Amino acid sequence: MMDLYLLRYFLAVVETGSFTRAADRTFVTQPTLSAGIKKLEAQVGQPLFERSNRRVFLTDAGTRFLPRAKAILHECNLAMQALEETATAPVLRLGVLTTLSNRAVGELLARYKKAEPKVTVEVYDGTEQELTNRLDDRSLDYALSVYRGEGEDKALPLFDEKYVFILPPEHRLSGKRSVGAADLAEDYMIVRSRCEVLSETSRYFTDQNVRPRLVYRTPNDSRAIAMVAAGIGGTVVPESLVDERVTAIDLSGFDYKRKLALFRPRYQLAAATTQLAADFERHVENCWGVTGIMQ
Amino acid sequence: MMDLYLLRYFLAVVETGSFTRAADRTFVTQPTLSAGIKKLEAQVGQPLFERSNRRVFLTDAGTRFLPRAKAILHECNLAMQALEETATAPVLRLGVLTTLSNRAVGELLARYKKAEPKVTVEVYDGTEQELTNRLDDRSLDYALSVYRGEGEDKALPLFDEKYVFILPPEHRLSGKRSVGAADLAEDYMIVRSRCEVLSETSRYFTDQNVRPRLVYRTPNDSRAIAMVAAGIGGTVVPESLVDERVTAIDLSGFDYKRKLALFRPRYQLAAATTQLAADFERHVENCWGVTGIMQ
DNA sequence: GGAAACCATAGATAACGTCTATGATGGATT
DNA sequence: AATCCATCATAGACGTTATCTATGGTTTCC
């Protein structure tokens, strides 16, 4: 495990181009800094600098490490800032799975806002794992994500939805109700890199000896749908993501579905917010309950 | 500055609920861990645990610190992983300002993909500051962001666009070409928390003694627009974000514009990628040049 | 050729992290 | 009520570490 003071030495060398100037900047002597860099290189297991003719250059490992070192120290600063901030007015911090429909989430929260105009909802995107982690580390209160059988103390089950394949409206297949993998053999595929059924989708095609050409990959579903609408290719999405800019068709034999849930806080809420939380949970259940999204 | 080994002690205490068990988990003795927690509390300047009747509870500061401590150690793990990863096939890492139109960016990249089908483009969202930081720390190659007069070595200037106010189509003002602040005095305001002209927007209304009610705040522009379309309120957006779900009107006297630019790599590209980069820059200039977005 | 600049090593030393031993406190048991 | 047990805090000892000064080795500049 590396030491933060060594990261400071490392960044000082990168910024100054010299061990001697870096030592000045970090208020130690040059031999101390030299030994510190040596120690850091031992900790990470490979050289970070190439010393050549009294000059210092980053190695490939050093270049790769540099943004990470900055991120670590940035997180440390955020940690100190978090401690310094005065407690702000309480808000509801809601995580939302990136693959959820913006429109559906917007409508859900619009209705909630009408019912509870004083509540501030902070919305955070994330992958399943990110949302789970943030619930665990208490940086989120609630999360809308995929249900995987968690107990009722952790999750309020919501509705099911299936996956469909979306295409530009002018696509030759856009009038069809359902197609097979072979129908898409010559088509372009857009990859939503955060799709829950990414590997299933891949297997669906490879099992039928079909290999659509991958032309674009993005974690941002709105961008993926925009790319479909723009005509660059098609992609698999949960049904609720379909909008009027694209055409949805079924994939024969692709029967995967996902069930959503509202994940509950993993810590004891303050007394002042338990009623607010209960109201929020009821609202979500009313709007997105097991019978589907309320129209 | 805090020490990482102390963060490990801290998390062990949180996870086990006890200094003694945390000491076991971190392979030190209980007095060592106790002193370590004391040292960490000195470093951060406030108590993180409340010791009460031989039990340990997180203080408010400790609760606030916990996700940050986890994030720091997570970044350290990412740093180590980054060093361990073998060099992957080179890609073009493009940062895109969160307030850019998904549709416009999608079309830009769709055209590029047609011209250069073999290039993998990784797209990352961020605020201006985040994109600048990531260009600086070399975790992005290019970025599409707001131009603020940077030199040609850093940025390729693109087109201008103005800001407009968007409303749900059925709004009473939606037929008008232009409105004043007073016309919106009783309306609801959605805040795109990453808008470049957030403070100017606030000042526009307060200068005219108007205080629209803030009902929703989100960093996600797609969600903000979905909320407008859902009828919850209106918001200020750059013109290119307007789509058919909403109505755009001008705000009288709100003359702010933004100029976009393609920000260039802040390091020497490898020889193998200089041609690719030049092609990409030309593509962007052709599509989003100073005359506006190519239709 | 000598001076200057810069990184690496050696040895000394103060500071540090950890140990054992023990104290203080409160709850559980008898 | 007395005793035992569990747990955190403190004290002192000690091995290790981070930093210092001194100096060596190499390269560049004048």
Side-chain angles (χ1 to χ4, degrees):
Chain A
M1 164 167 280
M2 66 200 78
D3 291 283
L4 297 179
Y5 77 97
L6 298 179
L7 297 187
R8 284 177 51 245
Y9 293 175
F10 170 75
L11 291 180
V13 174
V14 173
E15 284 155 21
T16 60
S18 153
F19 281 26
T20 303
R21 290 195 291 274
D24 286 343
R25 178 171 293 198
T26 55
F27 306 104
V28 297
T29 63
Q30 176 270 319
T32 298
L33 190 129
S34 181
I37 296 300
K38 186 169 186 175
K39 182 174 178 180
L40 178 61
E41 287 174 329
Q43 287 176 343
V44 302
Q46 43 193 316
L48 300 173
F49 294 105
E50 178 186 333
R51 289 81 146 163
S52 170
N53 292 357
R54 291 167 24 196
R55 301 218 180 295
V56 177
F57 303 95
L58 278 169
T59 58
D60 285 345
T63 300
R64 185 178 273 272
F65 186 69
L66 175 57
R68 297 299 179 182
K70 286 186 168 183
I72 293 167
L73 293 181
H74 178 63
E75 282 295 343
C76 291
N77 288 335
L78 291 179
M80 294 304 292
Q81 283 173 14
L83 286 167
E84 284 159 12
E85 279 167 6
T86 57
T88 59
V91 298
L92 189 66
R93 298 170 299 174
L94 174 67
V96 176
L97 187 66
T98 54
T99 57
L100 293 182
S101 163
N102 285 338
R103 183 181 54 191
V105 170
E107 287 169 8
L108 174 74
L109 296 180
R111 286 194 177 112
Y112 179 67
K113 178 62 74 179
K114 280 175 181 167
E116 297 284 350
K118 296 188 179 63
V119 177
T120 300
V121 179
E122 284 181 357
V123 179
Y124 299 91
D125 293 335
T127 61
E128 267 187 86
Q129 190 59 56
E130 286 165 352
L131 297 181
T132 301
N133 291 346
R134 294 188 70 182
L135 284 164
D136 282 339
D137 70 24
R138 309 183 198 184
S139 61
L140 285 178
D141 303 314
Y142 283 93
L144 286 165
S145 189
V146 171
Y147 181 65
R148 297 194 187 275
E150 291 87 354
E152 198 162 299
D153 60 321
K154 287 189 166 183
L156 172 66
L158 301 172
F159 66 98
D160 289 326
E161 67 179 331
K162 67 181 183 180
Y163 291 90
V164 294
F165 195 82
I166 56 171
L167 294 164
E170 67 272 12
H171 195 276
R172 71 183 188 282
L173 296 171
S174 72
K176 291 184 180 292
R177 189 113 162 273
S178 175
V179 298
D183 295 309
L184 296 169
E186 297 305 311
D187 280 277
Y188 294 105
M189 181 72 71
I190 288 165
V191 170
R192 293 167 47 246
S193 54
R194 292 178 168 175
C195 179
E196 300 84 22
V197 290
L198 205 49
S199 56
E200 289 86 347
T201 304
S202 180
R203 192 158 57 246
Y204 173 83
F205 286 103
T206 57
D207 281 354
Q208 303 183 46
N209 292 319
V210 169
R211 201 172 158 134
R213 278 181 283 170
L214 188 158
V215 291
Y216 187 62
R217 162 189 287 272
T218 177
N220 184 325
D221 287 348
S222 299
R223 287 239 155 87
I225 295 171
M227 296 288 281
V228 172
I232 189 62
T235 192
V236 168
V237 295
E239 194 169 27
S240 61
L241 282 174
V242 177
D243 65 25
E244 63 284 347
R245 294 174 295 160
V246 295
T247 296
I249 54 176
D250 285 339
L251 288 176
S252 301
F254 193 85
D255 297 325
Y256 298 99
K257 288 181 174 179
R258 71 178 182 182
K259 187 178 188 68
L260 300 182
L262 178 67
F263 288 81
R264 294 180 158 116
R266 304 225 176 143
Y267 62 96
Q268 188 61 44
L269 288 172
T273 54
T274 49
Q275 184 58 53
L276 184 125
D279 290 343
F280 180 68
E281 291 188 16
R282 192 180 314 112
H283 170 78
V284 172
E285 189 167 30
N286 287 342
C287 292
W288 283 21
V290 295
T291 56
I293 295 182
M294 177 193 284
Q295 299 305 328
Chain B
M1 164 168 278
M2 67 201 78
D3 291 283
L4 295 179
Y5 77 98
L6 298 178
L7 296 187
R8 284 176 50 247
Y9 293 173
F10 170 76
L11 291 180
V13 174
V14 173
E15 284 156 20
T16 59
S18 150
F19 282 26
T20 304
R21 288 196 292 275
D24 286 346
R25 177 172 293 198
T26 55
F27 307 105
V28 298
T29 62
Q30 176 269 321
T32 298
L33 190 130
S34 181
I37 294 300
K38 184 168 187 175
K39 181 173 177 180
L40 179 61
E41 286 175 328
Q43 286 178 343
V44 303
Q46 45 195 314
L48 300 172
F49 293 104
E50 178 185 335
R51 289 80 147 164
S52 170
N53 292 358
R54 288 167 32 194
R55 299 218 181 296
V56 176
F57 303 94
L58 279 168
T59 59
D60 284 345
T63 301
R64 186 179 272 271
F65 187 69
L66 175 57
R68 297 300 180 182
K70 287 186 169 183
I72 293 168
L73 294 180
H74 178 63
E75 283 294 342
C76 292
N77 289 333
L78 291 179
M80 295 304 292
Q81 283 173 14
L83 285 167
E84 284 158 13
E85 279 167 6
T86 58
T88 59
V91 298
L92 188 67
R93 299 170 299 175
L94 176 67
V96 176
L97 188 66
T98 54
T99 58
L100 292 183
S101 163
N102 287 337
R103 184 182 54 191
V105 170
E107 287 170 8
L108 174 74
L109 297 179
R111 286 191 175 115
Y112 180 67
K113 179 62 75 180
K114 281 176 180 166
E116 297 283 352
K118 294 187 180 61
V119 178
T120 299
V121 180
E122 284 182 357
V123 180
Y124 300 90
D125 295 333
T127 62
E128 267 188 85
Q129 189 59 55
E130 285 165 352
L131 297 180
T132 301
N133 291 346
R134 294 189 68 183
L135 284 165
D136 282 340
D137 70 21
R138 308 182 197 184
S139 59
L140 285 179
D141 303 314
Y142 283 95
L144 286 165
S145 187
V146 171
Y147 181 65
R148 297 195 188 275
E150 290 86 354
E152 199 161 298
D153 60 320
K154 286 190 167 182
L156 172 67
L158 301 171
F159 65 97
D160 288 327
E161 68 180 329
K162 67 182 183 181
Y163 291 90
V164 293
F165 195 81
I166 55 170
L167 293 165
E170 68 272 14
H171 196 275
R172 73 183 187 283
L173 295 172
S174 72
K176 291 181 180 291
R177 188 112 159 277
S178 177
V179 299
D183 294 310
L184 297 167
E186 297 305 312
D187 280 280
Y188 294 103
M189 182 73 72
I190 289 164
V191 170
R192 296 167 47 245
S193 55
R194 291 176 166 177
C195 180
E196 299 85 21
V197 290
L198 206 48
S199 56
E200 289 87 347
T201 304
S202 181
R203 189 158 57 250
Y204 173 82
F205 285 102
T206 57
D207 281 354
Q208 301 182 48
N209 291 322
V210 169
R211 198 159 159 150
R213 278 180 283 173
L214 190 157
V215 290
Y216 186 62
R217 163 188 287 271
T218 176
N220 185 325
D221 286 348
S222 299
R223 288 237 154 88
I225 296 171
M227 296 288 284
V228 172
I232 188 60
T235 192
V236 168
V237 295
E239 195 170 26
S240 61
L241 281 173
V242 176
D243 65 25
E244 63 286 347
R245 294 172 296 160
V246 296
T247 297
I249 55 177
D250 286 339
L251 288 177
S252 301
F254 193 84
D255 296 325
Y256 297 99
K257 289 183 175 179
R258 71 178 181 183
K259 186 178 187 70
L260 299 181
L262 178 66
F263 289 81
R264 295 179 156 118
R266 304 222 178 148
Y267 62 93
Q268 189 60 44
L269 288 171
T273 55
T274 50
Q275 185 58 51
L276 186 122
D279 291 343
F280 179 69
E281 292 187 17
R282 192 182 313 113
H283 170 77
V284 171
E285 189 167 32
N286 286 342
C287 293
W288 284 20
V290 296
T291 55
I293 295 182
M294 176 192 285
Q295 299 305 328

